[in-house]
Amino acid sequence: MPDITLTTLVLLCLAALLAGWIDAVVGGGGLLLLPALLLGLPGAPHTYALGTNKAVAIVGTTGAAVTYARKAPVPVWTAVRVGLAATAGSMLGAVFAAGISDRVLRPLIMVVLVGVAAFVILRPAFGARPEGAERAPLTRARIVTAIVLVGGGIGLYDGMFGPGTGTFLVLALTAVLHLDLVTASATAKIVNVCTNAGALATFAYQGTVHWQLAAVMAVFNLAGGMLGARMALSKGTEFVRGVLLVVVFSLVAKLAFDQWS
């Protein structure tokens, strides 16, 4: 366990709880959890915050994925294939990350996110399924597109830059596979488990994980993840849409702060 105060530990656990909830509903929990770890471990190299973040997040994400899979018609095998493609994409993206300037990427991502928010607001039917309607069958073409574009493309982005990956996954899965937002969020959790596992294996091999701290925080992240999944299942698409917009605008604000601070 790193040398931190009890107050810092409590705050980190609360951050893990809330991050698990956000991540389970619509993705983006890392926007809270990673900065909290960076602030809570000021004397440690940033790689320890990154590694500990993955060790915590994979527990909450797995709990949310299991909760969703028990209650929602999640295309598990499709999600696993997308997740494997995303893992490969993120590894490739990490190779190119050093040659790409954050100050170039941030404005582009902000523009994309504002466009996404406008689309979600102006298209209230996006990600909604009429009550009683059957889910559209997953065709081979849509599955292949999801594996290549959603898995490989967003995985590449995750390796190069990262912020908002979970949110982009939910939106892309909704658009490509014609899922409702709740099912897309459930599917994204399985994809996240795959990508988190790949990243955690790398950090564990490098020895940059505070395992004791991660174990304590993971309990709270798991509770938040399971609670968030249950709320998304019970409250439905409109609830997920509202949280999605809050996360998107929060991400835009964070990117703008990082760009111009």
Side-chain angles (χ1 to χ4, degrees):
M1 179 75 75
D3 185 17
I4 58 176
T5 66
L6 179 60
T7 300
T8 299
L9 179 61
V10 170
L11 292 174
L12 286 174
C13 288
L14 291 175
L17 178 71
L18 184 55
W21 185 90
I22 295 170
D23 218 26
V25 177
V26 75
L31 296 173
L32 175 63
L33 187 55
L34 184 55
L37 281 165
L38 289 169
L39 290 172
L41 303 171
H46 74 280
T47 51
Y48 278 85
L50 293 170
T52 306
N53 171 60
K54 290 300 181 184
V56 174
I58 194 172
V59 176
T61 301
T62 301
V66 171
T67 302
Y68 274 123
R70 287 177 175 175
K71 302 289 185 179
V74 184
V76 176
W77 178 229
T78 297
V80 170
R81 285 181 287 178
V82 173
L84 293 175
T87 301
S90 65
M91 293 172 67
L92 181 61
V95 174
F96 296 106
I100 296 176
S101 172
D102 288 356
R103 296 193 68 82
V104 174
L105 276 177
R106 285 194 193 102
L108 294 176
I109 301 302
M110 283 188 280
V111 170
V112 171
L113 285 169
V114 170
V116 164
F119 179 82
V120 172
I121 292 171
L122 296 174
R123 292 286 298 275
F126 177 73
R129 189 167 70 218
E131 188 173 350
E134 294 292 328
R135 189 180 72 194
L138 296 179
T139 64
R140 181 180 178 83
R142 290 217 302 270
I143 292 174
V144 171
T145 301
I147 293 171
V148 175
L149 294 184
V150 180
I154 293 180
L156 187 71
Y157 165 79
D158 191 26
M160 289 191 300
F161 191 51
T165 297
T167 305
F168 282 132
L169 274 174
V170 173
L171 291 165
L173 288 168
T174 301
V176 173
L177 296 180
H178 296 182
L179 303 176
D180 61 85
L181 283 172
V182 174
T183 305
S185 188
T187 306
K189 297 291 88 58
I190 298 175
V191 177
N192 284 153
V193 171
C194 296
T195 56
N196 283 341
L200 178 59
T202 302
F203 287 118
Y205 177 77
Q206 295 172 344
T208 55
V209 180
H210 285 303
W211 291 107
Q212 290 177 306
L213 175 61
V216 175
M217 293 175 64
V219 174
F220 291 84
N221 194 251
L222 176 62
M226 295 178 69
L227 177 62
R230 289 174 180 170
M231 289 184 68
L233 288 165
S234 64
K235 294 182 179 296
T237 297
E238 287 304 313
F239 171 73
V240 175
R241 182 191 306 278
V243 177
L244 172 65
L245 289 173
V246 170
V247 170
V248 166
F249 284 122
S250 298
L251 180 55
V252 171
K254 181 184 184 302
L255 290 173
F257 178 81
D258 291 343
Q259 180 74 10
W260 291 296
S261 63

